[in-house]
Amino acid sequence: VLHPEKARDTHPWECLSSRERTIFKLIAEGGTNRSAAAYLNLSAKTVEKHRASLMRKLRLNSAVELALLAVDLGLVNRPSVTGRTPLPVGAQAPLGA
C-alpha cells in the first residue's frame, strides 16, 4: 500500500523501469531512437515504446524537456558551447553570429 505522504516525496524518476532509465540517459545525451536501439541491441520500435512510456510518466512533451530534466537531475552535464566567447552583459551579438 502506497502512503500519500510517501507518494508526494517520490520523484517520477523512481517510477521508471531500469530500461526506461537507460533510454532516458541515452536520449538525454543526444542519442536517437535508432542509436539507442543499436547500442542496446533492441529494435527501434521497442525503444520508441519505452521512450513514449517514460515521456508519459515524466509528463514531458519533447526531447528538449527530457534533456533539461536530465541536467536538473545531474544525469548528464550541461553541454558547453565551444569556440565562442561569452558576450559582456548588455552587449549584442553581431549579425550573422
Side-chain angles (χ1 to χ4, degrees), residues 27-47:
I27 300 301
E29 291 169 349
T32 62
N33 289 348
R34 187 172 289 160
S35 66
Y39 180 78
L40 297 170
N41 200 27
L42 298 170
S43 76
K45 199 67 160 171
T46 298
V47 171

Side-chain angles (χ1 to χ4, degrees), residues 49-70:
K49 289 183 187 249
H50 284 301
R51 182 176 177 167
S53 175
L54 74 89
M55 297 283 284
R56 186 185 74 258
K57 288 178 181 179
L58 296 174
R59 297 182 183 134
L60 302 174
N61 297 312
S62 69
V64 171
E65 288 181 359
L66 186 147
L68 291 172
L69 178 59

Side-chain angles (χ1 to χ4, degrees), residues 66-88:
L66 186 147
L68 291 172
L69 178 59
V71 170
D72 287 347
L73 293 173
L75 300 173
V76 295
N77 293 326
R78 181 175 179 217
S80 62
V81 179
T82 58
R84 296 211 175 191
T85 306
L87 294 172

